[in-house]
Amino acid sequence: MKHVTGIFLFASFSLFAQRSEELVPQQAVTVFSLNNINILQQISLDDLVQYEFMEELQQELFDGSTSGKTIKESGIDFDQKLNVFNGKGEQYTVNGFTFGIANKDQLFETFDDFLPVESPYPGTELYVSYFNRIAIKGNTGILFRIAPTMRLVDQITDSIWYARGNGYPWYNEDFEGIFEEVEVPSESIEPDMETEENTASPVEEYLPVAGADPDNKTYYELRDSVDFALQEEFILEFSKDLLVDGKNLMMRSPEFTEQLKHNSEAILFSDNSRRIETDDEFWYFRSLYPTFFYDVKELYEDNLILGDLSIQNGKVGFSIDMKYSEKLGSIYQELTRSKFDSHIIKYIPKEASAFFTYNVNMLQAYKKTYEVLTPILEKSNDPNVAGDLMVLELFDILMDEETIFGTYKGSMFGTYTDVKKVKTKKIVFDYDEDTFEYTEQEVEAEEDMPIFTLGFSTERTDIVERLLKRISKLNSNLHVENDYWVIDHAILDAAPIYLIPRKGIFLISNDGEFAQNNSNGYSSSLIDKNALKQAKKSGAFYAKIDLDDAIAKIPKEIFTERENNVVDVVRGKNGIVEITSTKTTNSGTTFNLNYNYDADLNDSGKYILDLINSIYVISK
Amino acid sequence: MTMKTKFTFLVLSLLFGLSSCIEIIDDLTLNTDGSGTFKYNINLSASKVKVNSILALDSLDGKKVPSLDEIKHRIDKISQELRSQQGITQVVVDANYSDFILKLSFDFTSLEALQNGVKAVIKLESGDRPLNQIDYDWVSFENNKLSRSIPQLTIKQSKKLDDADRDLLKTGSYTAITRFGKEIKSFTNEEAMLSKNKKAVLLRTDPYSLMQNPNLLDNTIELLP
């Protein structure tokens, strides 16, 4: 009987014990869930907090409490998933992670800034620090931070500010004199240019001091109060949702629950439909066409990105499922209903360190978009939308679709061959031997430049040629050379670019040798048949990158900081990266990225974090 | 990052982080009355692709890259600082932002005024950071002999660069020219060359060697009486 009770209790515990993923809040829009966190045990916490996806927690962890410790010593339960999440709603953003707890004492040695507070939520312990909160339920915890959106804070602050009879806050009388004291920048600086001298520092230095009367707050004090009050309100709302009502992302999204069942190293869940609603990138669009934005919202319903990351026997695989609503899917389906353009084959040499092909059918996509979008727009009462719809319909009636989409079909390819010397000009100083006086001379020079070629499928190179002829009359940098066009100083004001119209394709390259000798295609040494077969078999997109040749040689300077954060994950690795896509259906497309990972397997924990960070940077 | 630090980062990135040539000429003319002219030329035209590509970025290696306007503003500040120095006149800044050639020249009434002017610029750029170099005299004239060296500030800072960048420094050049109204009797640096008119001495090295040995361009030049 004792055994039976024991087994029953064990089973009950196993079945009903809280798991870390159950604390992922419903407000989360993007989640990375690490299934096998054992491999992270040796990672130092100091290294962990360097990652961008941990940025919200850096203030907590960069205070010496983590110095010299590994994740193993942080009290985290390595038998549970570690789920990093972020979410942005219309009113607030929430960031954090959920985790299993093996040793609470160790946990709070790491998070030593957190103090326990009385919890109003049954069965939940609460700890607070200046920025963040930790809630613990059983053997699971969530560390989170809530911040009201700036727009909401500004809106409410302005409302109170003006209701109190104040004037425009940025020209408050408290600021009088500030601008007189700020050093006037020299005339070479544009008046609207923001520099340290003419904006931030001086204004900050002269900020009004707190008044004795708390009811008579300055704009900034009022704004801080509003921010604080909203934060408190949203923390209560968020905590009640998650800790009392148990509203988590698993309840909200069956796709997330399903994704959690995968036994890959890590999974990605991103609800694109909610991102579009709140993302800052769409703010202008939402503000300009508020009703239109909500009208077309149905297009983006169920738009999810679901990813699986696996590392096995030195091979990295990342699979991404893009899920669409039926309407959006039908547009993408038409967009990708395109045959592989065989014109491009002869332009991809065997020596190419990287190449991609992209096959789409813009004409079909346009027709489908028009068909899907028009009925949606017709329902809108927004006068701006009505005006735009009228223009769209007129455009549709009057335009010659065949010519437009025959000129720009949408399909393209790109190659990266190597870093080559390109011809530029430089100034040198010539010295007179009698006096060592020197004069400037312009001479030919060479500089390293990554060599790229892009090709666009077209049926109407005659139109492109006609345009180039006209433009050359307007811009002396554009001229004909042999049977192609050259734009001098086109790249970084130094190197030329070559525009090459050919039958069925319009080529753009910065490779002078290609323009001169191979612009009708390479006669031999083309890409291997396997790669070609894969490219043809793949859906809309195919890419192949030789890590040794491509990534190592491309100068860092050609990428932005954000792009470099992504590229860094494959720097120093070798092997071939292959990205393939499936045929698009009206419900989704799958992209697969695979490559070999030859680095020390003991580093796989760090490598997974590198990958996750890259994915985080991309998905932000 | 402060504006000053940003500028210093950019200058260092441009001066020492470029794969192809950077050409620096420091050109000192000393008249018999102790006054003279100082010219400082930085020529990055051989690397304009790279300079343009760096300027096109918001940040590089985690540090913000200043815009061209910010650089222009900073250069204006430097020339203003020089103009405000006692004994410094005729400050001319000729900046060619297409080829990235910067030419600075000014007249000075004495070597002391020249040093004070240069130190003021170094101070302006370093902000509140303490600088040992500020008390160091890198040019002096005594007993018909001129002794000169190179201020070591940038040399020390360039040591912070990584190995790859350091290797690239070997392709540039640093030329120090010293001119006089009189003929030169002798000079101590064996690498130096005397002009045919015997009134100028030229010393040239590459930034990498200079970084390894900051005294490489030290020279004491004795004039004929």
Side-chain angles (χ1 to χ4, degrees), chain A residues 183 186 188-189 193 196 425 427 429 431 433-438 440 447 492 494 556 559 561, chain B residues 3 25 27 41 43 45-49 52 57 59 61-62 73 76-77 103 179 195-197 204:
Chain A
E183 195 177 342
S186 80
S188 66
I189 299 293
M193 180 190 150
E196 193 167 324
K425 301 268 186 199
I427 306 294
F429 292 105
Y431 293 85
E433 285 185 8
D434 281 343
T435 60
F436 291 150
E437 290 296 342
Y438 42 89
E440 289 180 20
E447 280 201 68
L492 299 168
K556 263 189 148 182
F559 298 117
E561 192 74 5
Chain B
M3 177 81 170
I25 302 172
D27 182 342
N41 298 340
N43 177 6
S45 66
S47 302
K48 61 182 175 187
V49 170
N52 271 319
L57 297 175
S59 57
D61 291 333
H73 179 50
D76 281 349
K77 279 263 190 194
K103 290 190 265 187
R179 307 173 195 280
S195 66
K196 281 186 180 169
N197 69 2
R204 180 176 294 142

Side-chain angles (χ1 to χ4, degrees), chain B residues 28-41:
Chain B
L28 173 68
T29 302
L30 192 64
N31 302 323
T32 44
D33 63 354
S35 67
T37 304
F38 183 69
K39 295 178 187 170
Y40 200 79
N41 298 340

Side-chain angles (χ1 to χ4, degrees), chain B residues 162-171 208:
Chain B
D162 62 31
D163 291 344
D165 283 337
R166 278 183 213 172
D167 284 345
L168 300 171
L169 300 181
K170 293 175 184 172
T171 53
Y208 176 78

Side-chain angles (χ1 to χ4, degrees), chain A residues 378-393:
Chain A
E378 273 172 352
K379 285 189 278 182
S380 174
N381 294 320
D382 188 329
N384 288 333
V385 174
D388 289 345
L389 180 59
M390 186 177 73
V391 173
L392 180 68
E393 284 179 320

Side-chain angles (χ1 to χ4, degrees), chain A residues 47-276:
Chain A
D47 284 346
L48 180 69
V49 294
Q50 301 287 346
Y51 288 103
E52 201 171 331
F53 72 88
M54 297 296 282
E55 66 189 346
E56 295 300 333
L57 307 171
Q58 285 174 359
Q59 292 93 333
E60 300 293 352
L61 301 175
F62 269 134
D63 61 357
S65 61
T66 60
S67 183
K69 287 183 182 170
T70 61
I71 298 178
K72 191 181 178 182
E73 298 159 290
S74 65
I76 286 176
D77 179 1
F78 289 92
D79 290 330
Q80 292 201 46
K81 294 175 196 289
L82 179 71
N83 310 287
V84 182
F85 64 85
N86 65 60
K88 185 173 183 184
E90 284 189 4
Q91 295 190 309
Y92 62 89
T93 58
V94 56
N95 298 283
F97 63 89
T98 74
F99 49 93
I101 300 166
N103 185 326
K104 212 192 294 178
D105 292 338
Q106 275 188 339
L107 184 76
F108 285 103
E109 275 172 29
T110 301
F111 296 113
D112 60 346
D113 290 341
F114 285 83
L115 295 171
V117 291
E118 198 178 332
S119 167
Y121 314 113
T124 306
E125 295 171 41
L126 269 187
Y127 299 82
V128 299
S129 75
Y130 186 76
F131 292 109
N132 302 323
R133 278 161 171 71
I134 291 178
I136 293 179
K137 268 194 148 188
N139 62 343
T140 58
I142 174 172
L143 190 155
F144 65 95
R145 175 187 296 190
I146 303 263
T149 59
M150 287 299 108
R151 203 163 298 121
L152 182 66
V153 173
D154 288 344
Q155 208 176 10
I156 294 176
T157 308
D158 286 351
S159 169
I160 298 171
W161 180 257
Y162 292 124
R164 287 180 180 176
N166 294 304
Y168 185 57
W170 310 109
Y171 289 98
N172 190 290
E173 61 181 3
D174 290 333
F175 288 98
E176 273 179 17
I178 293 174
F179 298 104
E180 289 163 23
E181 292 180 45
V182 175
E183 195 177 342
V184 179
S186 80
E187 58 280 5
S188 66
I189 299 293
E190 293 297 321
D192 58 350
M193 180 190 150
E194 189 180 325
T195 69
E196 193 167 324
E197 279 68 18
N198 68 11
T199 54
S201 301
V203 174
E204 278 167 19
E205 280 169 24
Y206 289 89
L207 275 179
V209 292
D213 180 1
D215 291 331
N216 192 16
K217 291 178 178 175
T218 66
Y219 183 83
Y220 291 100
E221 288 171 334
L222 179 64
R223 197 177 181 286
D224 282 349
S225 302
V226 170
D227 194 356
F228 183 77
L230 285 173
Q231 190 186 31
E232 290 294 304
E233 186 187 323
F234 294 142
I235 287 172
L236 284 176
E237 184 186 306
F238 174 85
S239 303
K240 185 178 172 297
D241 271 1
L242 182 68
L243 305 171
V244 179
D245 302 335
K247 290 179 183 169
N248 59 21
L249 188 61
M250 291 172 73
M251 282 174 67
R252 179 174 187 155
S253 169
E255 291 87 355
F256 176 61
T257 310
E258 191 55 37
Q259 195 74 358
L260 286 168
K261 292 176 187 166
H262 295 193
N263 58 4
S264 48
E265 250 68 36
I267 59 129
L268 163 71
F269 169 89
S270 186
D271 187 340
N272 236 9
S273 58
R274 278 196 285 150
R275 277 189 62 195
I276 286 162

